[in-house]
Every structure is written in C-alpha cells, then in structure tokens.
C-alpha cells in the first residue's frame, strides 16, 4: 500500500503545479509555465504508467487474462472481444513468446493516456479533476479491470466529439473501444441522448422508462443475457446497486439544481453532464436488478470528474465555495481510504502490489495442467 499512497500523494501534489487549461505550445511561444506543464504532465503520466505496467499478478482479473491470452495464442475460444484477442496475438507473435507483461503495459499506456488527455482538454480545473480521478479509484480500478477501464477512458475522451456534434469521430472511437469491451456501445445511445435539448415529453418518456423497470425486469434481463450470454445461470445476474453512487448522484443533482438557471441552463457542456448524472441516478435507483448496472452507470458518472470542479468554480459566494470544495475533498479522501481498506478483497485484488522486478507469475491453469 505504501507504493499506492506515495504515488497518489506525489502525482496529486504535482498536478497543483499546472496552471493552464489547454496545452498549446505553439501559441505565443514556449513560456516557463508551458514548459512546467509539459514536464509535470510527462512525469505524472510516466509515474502512473510504470506502476501499472510493471505489476505482476495484481488485479482481480490478472490471472484470468493471462489464461485468456494463452488460449488466444493457442487458437482456442475465449469470450473476450476481437480487439483484445488481436492485440494479444499480435504481441505474442512478434515477441515469439507469451509476453503478457507487454500486453498489460500496452493497456496501461492507452488507459492512462485517454484519461489524462480527456481531463486536460475538457476540465476547467485539471488539478481538481485529477485529484478525483485518483482518490475515487479510477486509476487503481484500471489495474484490476483492464479492458473495461480502457473503454471508460475512451468514452470520457469521446465526450469532446459529442459536445462538438462531431458524430463520425464519436461513432468511430466508440466502435474501436467496443472492440476491447462491448459495453462501450451503450454510449452510442446515452451520450447523444444527454447532448440533445430535452423537451417536456422526453421527461415523461424518461419517467415511463424508469417505471417500466418495476414491471418488465424479466424482459430486460433476457435482453442482457442475449447481449452477454456468459452471464446465463451465473451469479452475475444477481444485480445490485451502490448506495454510495446514489448518494453521489443526489448531491451532484442538488448542487446542479441550485446553479441551474445561472450556470447550467445555457451551457451545452454543463447540460450534457447534468443529463448524464440524471440518467445515472435513474439507473442506480430503478435498474438495480440489472447485472451490468455499474458498468453502464460508470459511463455516465465518470463525467463527474469534469462536472464537479466546474460547478465549484461557478459558486459566487467565496465562503460557500471554500466549504463545498473542502467537503468534496474530504469526501474523496474518505472514499479513497475505504477503497484501499478493501483493496485486497476479491473483486479488486490490487494489494499486495507485486512487480516483475522482484516477483514471478504463479502457474496458470494451462501450465498446471488441470
């Protein structure tokens, strides 16, 4: 845990040195602050990348992925998406051996890259967004859930295309991401829905859809099993929701309504985040029976790391702004503490941290022969 705590403290404090919102070196020449921005961003990226890339048997799905990679290279069937399979086979073929370390390193590189670029280009307060990214567990969970968090990072990056209504680039990026985790396809519906201006009848339809979840659960579960056949007759169909996620969405909704007329109403970016939060809240409350509710919800609530800092910046009363900022930081810190307390449990397993520099991978199922 010392490694994670040190990493978090160092990179979050380093982010405080960043002063500009946009990295545009060509504009107005290279100033001292721009040079600091480049150096700090490279340092943060490198620190996050190497801690993730050098791990071995760290993460809930690590051993399972190693087994899947072996089966891919053996031309056997695996339930993973074609992008993951093609990347694995290509790396194994070029290396001449089953170099799963390099496969995980590639995933770590692009996951961190997409999240970092998305926050730098879209956040109005990068340091605060980055603090939330670390303390709310997005980075650490990417160590445990490799394919999904690559897709989540790509989804956050795709928001800029949604806001610009650059639909060809948005669709292309989503389709590429779906090659690694097909759950990303849901943003083809959710993000455009959050981008349009809602009419009264749309709120009514939204309410009916929520109420239908109380009566059509069996139908919706059949649709989920059709999309995810591997979930059939497994514990994954149990569903479940997160009280913490509901609480977070409710708090964000409350602050949003408070600032709605003055700040949010006429701003396309803020309205997008507002609707994402509203849909996430509805999913967590009415769709708790769905086994993939958390994955769908995260595509919506990940916008919080952009939305919450923006809302804090627009609180006009300095005293209220300071109080709300401190409370948000305390919430993130408490969440981080609770997350780390369960970091060694099944479903997370990012502790104890082991690295290829000092540890070896235990024998996989194929290597044991049973």
């Amino acid at each position: 845990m010392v490694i994670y705590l040190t990493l978090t403290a160092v990179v979050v404090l380093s982010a405080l040195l960043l002063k500009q919102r946009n990295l545009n070196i060509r504009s107005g020449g290279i100033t001292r602050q721009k040079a600091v921005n480049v150096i700090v961003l490279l340092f943060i990226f490198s620190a996050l990348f190497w801690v993730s890339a050098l791990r071995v048997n760290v993460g809930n799905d690590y051993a399972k992925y190693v087994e899947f990679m072996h089966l891919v290279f053996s031309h056997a069937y695996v339930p993973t998406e074609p992008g993951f399979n093609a990347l694995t086979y290509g790396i194994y073929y070029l290396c001449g051996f089953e170099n799963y370390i390099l496969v995980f390193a590639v995933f770590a590189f692009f996951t961190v890259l997409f999240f970092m670029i998305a926050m730098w280009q879209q956040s109005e307060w990068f340091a605060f967004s980055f603090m939330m990214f670390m303390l709310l567990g997005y980075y650490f969970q990417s160590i445990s859930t490799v394919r999904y968090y690559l897709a989540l990072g790509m989804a956050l990056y795709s928001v800029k295309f949604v806001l610009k209504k650059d639909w060809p680039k948005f669709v292309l990026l989503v389709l590429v991401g779906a090659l690694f985790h097909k759950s990303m396809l849901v943003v083809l519906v959710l993000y455009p829905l959050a981008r349009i201006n809602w009419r009264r009848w749309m709120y009514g339809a939204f309410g009916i859809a929520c109420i239908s979840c109380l009566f059509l659960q069996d139908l919706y579960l059949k649709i989920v099993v059709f999309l995810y056949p591997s979930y059939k007759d497994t514990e994954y169909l149990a569903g479940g929701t997160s009280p913490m996620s509901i609480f977070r969405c409710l708090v964000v909704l409350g602050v949003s309504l408070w600032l709605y007329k003055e700040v949010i109403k006429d701003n396309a970016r803020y309205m997008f985040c507002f609707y994402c939060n509203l849909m996430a809240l509805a999913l967590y409350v009415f769709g708790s029976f769905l086994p993939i509710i958390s994955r769908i919800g995260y595509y919506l609530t990940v916008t919080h790391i952009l939305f919450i800092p923006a809302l804090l910046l627009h609180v006009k009363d300095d005293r209220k702004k300071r109080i709300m900022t401190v409370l948000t930081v305390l919430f993130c810190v408490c969440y981080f503490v609770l997350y780390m307390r369960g970091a060694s449990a099944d479903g997370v397993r990012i502790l104890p941290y082991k690295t290829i520099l000092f540890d070896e991978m235990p024998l996989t199922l194929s290597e044991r022969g049973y």
Side-chain angles (χ1 to χ4, degrees), residues 102-157:
L102 182 56
V103 177
F104 283 113
V106 170
F107 271 92
F109 180 90
F110 285 103
T111 300
V112 175
L113 182 67
F114 277 113
F115 271 110
M116 289 285 292
I117 293 178
M119 288 186 289
W120 183 256
Q121 292 182 345
Q122 300 179 58
S123 176
E124 296 182 27
W125 190 356
F126 175 84
F128 205 91
S129 292
F130 183 74
M131 179 273 297
M132 294 180 66
F133 169 70
M134 294 299 297
L135 296 185
L136 294 181
Y138 288 105
Y139 168 72
F140 296 104
Q141 197 61 26
S142 72
I143 293 176
S144 180
T145 315
V146 176
R147 289 163 37 247
Y148 174 73
Y149 272 80
L150 172 61
L152 188 64
M154 295 177 72
L156 185 64
Y157 179 76

Side-chain angles (χ1 to χ4, degrees), residues 52-200:
S52 181
L54 293 179
R55 75 190 191 279
V56 61
N57 200 28
V58 177
N60 189 62
D61 296 332
Y62 195 99
K64 183 186 296 183
Y65 277 132
V66 173
E67 180 69 16
F68 283 164
M69 293 174 197
H70 170 75
L71 294 175
V72 167
F73 197 54
S74 303
H75 301 284
Y77 168 77
V78 289
T80 47
E81 288 80 359
F84 173 84
N85 299 342
L87 176 65
T88 297
Y89 189 86
I91 290 177
Y92 277 22
Y93 179 81
L94 292 174
C95 293
F97 65 99
E98 298 189 7
N99 192 350
Y100 53 85
I101 295 295
L102 182 56
V103 177
F104 283 113
V106 170
F107 271 92
F109 180 90
F110 285 103
T111 300
V112 175
L113 182 67
F114 277 113
F115 271 110
M116 289 285 292
I117 293 178
M119 288 186 289
W120 183 256
Q121 292 182 345
Q122 300 179 58
S123 176
E124 296 182 27
W125 190 356
F126 175 84
F128 205 91
S129 292
F130 183 74
M131 179 273 297
M132 294 180 66
F133 169 70
M134 294 299 297
L135 296 185
L136 294 181
Y138 288 105
Y139 168 72
F140 296 104
Q141 197 61 26
S142 72
I143 293 176
S144 180
T145 315
V146 176
R147 289 163 37 247
Y148 174 73
Y149 272 80
L150 172 61
L152 188 64
M154 295 177 72
L156 185 64
Y157 179 76
S158 75
V159 168
K160 74 173 189 176
F161 299 125
V162 176
L163 296 174
K164 294 177 181 178
K165 293 187 176 181
D166 191 345
W167 303 118
K169 290 182 180 178
F170 167 68
V171 171
L172 178 61
L173 184 61
V174 172
L175 293 178
V176 172
L179 291 175
F180 295 92
H181 205 286
K182 58 186 174 184
S183 67
M184 190 176 175
L185 291 173
V186 299
V187 305
L188 287 176
V189 176
L190 296 178
Y191 283 5
L193 188 60
R195 178 65 179 87
I196 62 178
N197 295 321
W198 286 29
R199 307 301 181 190
R200 288 185 178 180

Side-chain angles (χ1 to χ4, degrees), residues 217-292:
Q217 293 185 6
D218 291 339
L219 174 62
Y220 293 146
L221 283 174
K222 288 180 180 178
I223 295 175
V224 170
V225 172
F226 175 77
L227 296 174
Y228 289 88
S230 60
Y231 283 2
K232 187 176 181 179
D233 300 325
T234 67
E235 69 275 9
Y236 292 113
L237 288 180
T241 190
S242 168
M244 181 67 74
S245 297
I246 294 176
F247 172 76
R248 200 168 99 186
C249 290
L250 284 172
V251 172
V252 173
L253 179 62
V255 177
S256 300
L257 293 175
W258 176 42
L259 298 173
Y260 186 81
K261 290 185 178 180
E262 295 182 4
V263 178
I264 298 175
K265 185 177 180 180
D266 298 319
N267 188 296
R269 180 183 300 275
Y270 299 161
M271 286 302 298
F272 172 83
C273 294
F274 175 82
Y275 286 132
C276 281
N277 181 71
L278 185 63
M279 288 190 289
L281 178 60
L283 280 172
Y284 286 129
V285 173
F286 294 98
S288 59
F289 64 94
L290 294 172
I292 56 173

